Amino acid sequence: MEKRGSFGSKLGIVLATAGSAVGLGNVWRFSTEVGANGGAAFILIYIACVVFLGVPLIVAEFVIGRHTHKNTADAYKELAPHSPWVLQGYLGVLTAWIILCYYSVVSGWTLKYLVSSIANQVTTVEDSAAYFIHFTSNPWMPVLYMVLVMLLSHLIIIRGVQGGIEKFSKVMMPLLLLIIAVMVVCSFSMPGTEEGLRFLLLPDFSKINPNVFLSAMGQAFFSLSVGMGCLCTYASYFTDDSKLMKTAGSVALIDTMVAIMSGFIIFPAVFSVANVAPDAGPGLVFITLPNVFQMAFADVPIVGWLFAVFFYLLLLLAALTSMISIHEPVTAFLLERFGFTRRNATRIVTAACIVVGVLCSMSFGPLSDVHIIKDMSFFESFDFLSAKILMPIGGIIVALFAGWKLDRKMVYDEITNHGTLHSWTFPIFMFLIKWVAPLAIGLIFFNELGFFK
Ligand code: PHE
């Protein structure tokens, strides 16, 4: 058995975990949700969800992972042997694998858009919707890009926790934050951005309804990577002196700032190009934005080109640091449970994801008529199953497990590093995780299933 990996520094821990949280969800999913749910008021509710539900769940997963120093499945097995709680460990691994299969498809699109924008195709194309559909419906090209990003993720994971995940995150996260900051400044300097800023900053509370609450919660969970085995697995590599509350707070802060900053990049640009609606849907990033870059910089095409290249580079880096965090829980499970070497465990996961990823990728082309769940394609079924079923269930179980099943003293010891850190946050955490989180997530879940419609 190989020696178990561990992160080397506190900075590495924060950057790797923030790398997991900051992903496609912060850029395309967040902007789509903000656009569809009325802007600033949604953002306020989103922030409340992050603080009162997201952070406690992150801490709960950290406690489980760092206490056991085991992969998700074995962590639950150690903490609650021979009980149904053990299922949550397997559920975490399964959810990670399912997410990886389709997340890699969209990550592949971002690689394609980076390559095309470098080749100056994205910002010169006449009809960006046709361009997007032409690409995604092609049987092989999106598969090729999906395989390429899977291999990139593979190459990082195979190098292990410190040499792969931590090293990559430590270089890529600062780069990503820098690109975002530069792009925000550029976006602000475009003509006609006030409307975009008003949309993002001035809340219109008439837009708030129960659905907005529920969308905000769902977005917060997806964005923070909670409810599946990912944070628990990363926490199993934390050093014992790491501070769980502080790390969770930093990760949530970075994740939220990146989401809001990407809103600042996207919306002023969208509003400065008059005929583009802010609620253009998931196509916003791949269909609307190329138009925006093109039109906003019609006089100086080189700036449009630069903007596009940096934007898709940013998206790809964000996607990759999340992909590795979805790759790792499954790899760690195979490695520790079945005694594979890291090399072989990674190979199995990569291969299994590529095979199913091909089906997800082809859902936009040759397999678009194949329905798995109801009338949903492979891709849509995987997205639905993970984000709308498995992650909320996972979230409820994690909250109940940490709030009701785990020994309170053990949780206290983990959070305060055996009483050496301040403990005023502990009762607040316990209240949120015991009562608020299970009830609120239950609400999202049953709403998603249509119980309140
Ligand atoms: N949080 C990531 C994002 O915002 C997605 C993700 C979900 C990563 C679940 C890991 C686990 O894109």
Side-chain angles (χ1 to χ4, degrees):
M1 189 79 154
E2 296 174 26
K3 188 175 168 294
R4 202 164 196 286
S6 133
F7 288 120
S9 67
K10 291 198 179 106
L11 181 67
I13 287 177
V14 171
L15 290 180
T17 316
S20 167
V22 173
L24 295 168
N26 297 58
V27 189
W28 73 254
R29 205 173 185 281
F30 183 76
S31 48
T32 310
E33 293 282 317
V34 172
N37 291 299
F42 174 86
I43 297 181
L44 285 181
I45 300 176
Y46 173 82
I47 292 175
C49 293
V50 168
V51 174
F52 295 113
L53 304 174
V55 172
L57 277 177
I58 300 180
V59 173
E61 293 197 30
F62 280 179
V63 167
I64 296 166
R66 198 188 62 176
H67 181 80
T68 54
H69 290 300
K70 290 200 162 113
N71 69 81
T72 314
D74 288 333
Y76 282 86
K77 204 171 153 202
E78 177 180 314
L79 290 170
H82 313 295
S83 75
W85 295 107
V86 171
L87 288 177
Q88 170 58 20
Y90 297 108
L91 205 65
V93 175
L94 178 73
T95 311
W97 178 73
I98 292 178
I99 296 180
L100 190 57
C101 294
Y102 77 88
Y103 201 86
S104 57
V105 174
V106 185
S107 306
W109 298 349
T110 66
L111 176 60
K112 151 75 183 173
Y113 268 69
L114 174 62
V115 172
S116 305
S117 47
I118 292 174
N120 204 14
Q121 285 167 0
V122 173
T123 43
T124 53
V125 62
E126 287 254 313
D127 183 345
S128 57
Y131 182 83
F132 177 70
I133 293 168
H134 179 76
F135 164 65
T136 50
S137 62
N138 180 297
W140 298 113
M141 286 314 273
V143 169
L144 174 72
Y145 283 101
M146 182 271 291
V147 172
L148 285 175
V149 285
M150 266 315 290
L151 291 179
L152 285 176
S153 170
H154 179 97
L155 288 177
I156 301 165
I157 291 297
I158 217 164
R159 286 179 165 66
V161 179
Q162 218 174 89
I165 299 173
E166 182 171 359
K167 214 166 160 188
F168 181 75
S169 308
K170 265 173 136 168
V171 177
M172 292 309 160
M173 286 307 286
L175 181 63
L176 190 143
L177 296 175
L178 182 72
I179 297 178
I180 294 190
V182 171
M183 289 191 71
V184 171
V185 174
C186 292
S187 190
F188 271 75
S189 56
M190 281 205 240
T193 52
E194 299 83 37
E195 205 183 331
L197 292 182
R198 217 172 294 132
F199 181 72
L200 280 173
L201 295 177
L202 292 182
D204 170 3
F205 288 104
S206 68
K207 298 258 169 62
I208 301 288
N209 59 39
N211 249 316
V212 174
F213 267 93
L214 301 163
S215 303
M217 277 196 273
Q219 170 60 18
F221 291 154
F222 185 83
S223 189
L224 295 172
S225 319
V226 294
M228 33 86 72
C230 158
L231 296 180
C232 176
T233 305
Y234 267 23
S236 73
Y237 305 127
F238 286 7
T239 45
D240 286 327
D241 63 346
S242 55
K243 300 172 180 164
L244 301 187
M245 283 284 183
K246 202 171 158 198
T247 309
S250 315
V251 168
L253 188 69
I254 296 176
D255 189 62
T256 307
M257 282 196 12
V258 170
I260 292 176
M261 284 167 89
S262 75
F264 278 131
I265 295 173
I266 292 173
F267 287 105
V270 165
F271 277 97
S272 74
V273 175
N275 60 352
V276 175
D279 56 351
L284 192 71
V285 163
F286 294 106
I287 299 175
T288 313
L289 281 184
N291 272 328
V292 169
F293 296 146
Q294 199 170 355
M295 288 190 249
F297 301 105
D299 305 335
V300 261
I302 180 95
V303 180
W305 175 80
L306 263 178
F307 218 80
V309 170
F310 276 115
F311 181 79
Y312 291 109
L313 176 63
L314 164 110
L315 209 56
L316 179 67
L317 293 181
L320 262 178
T321 49
S322 293
M323 259 181 89
I324 55 177
S325 78
I326 317 174
H327 209 152
E328 178 63 21
V330 196
T331 307
F333 169 65
L334 292 184
L335 193 159
E336 288 166 16
R337 179 63 69 89
F338 301 107
F340 287 109
T341 58
R342 176 166 277 276
R343 184 168 287 277
N344 284 337
T346 315
R347 278 185 186 142
I348 296 172
V349 181
T350 304
C353 279
I354 287 179
V355 171
V356 180
V358 169
L359 301 177
C360 291
S361 177
M362 288 190 172
S363 299
F364 296 88
L367 299 183
S368 61
D369 289 332
V370 178
H371 302 312
I372 303 302
I373 302 176
K374 289 205 208 135
D375 54 355
M376 288 184 269
S377 64
F378 270 105
F379 183 97
E380 289 163 337
S381 304
F382 273 50
D383 178 52
F384 173 80
L385 195 63
S386 54
K388 302 211 162 154
I389 306 281
L390 296 174
M391 280 174 87
I393 295 185
I396 299 177
I397 300 179
V398 168
L400 293 176
F401 188 65
W404 298 88
K405 166 74 185 159
L406 285 183
D407 175 30
R408 202 181 157 95
K409 170 87 173 60
M410 171 276 209
V411 178
Y412 177 86
D413 282 344
E414 284 299 327
I415 288 179
T416 61
N417 287 359
H418 295 272
T420 57
L421 301 175
H422 57 67
S423 57
W424 61 270
T425 48
F426 178 71
I428 306 176
F429 163 77
M430 280 316 280
F431 174 71
L432 292 172
I433 205 76
K434 239 178 146 140
W435 299 102
V436 181
L439 288 172
I441 309 166
L443 211 64
I444 309 183
F445 183 53
F446 290 112
N447 176 69
E448 298 276 20
L449 294 187
F451 276 61
F452 305 127
K453 291 204 176 103

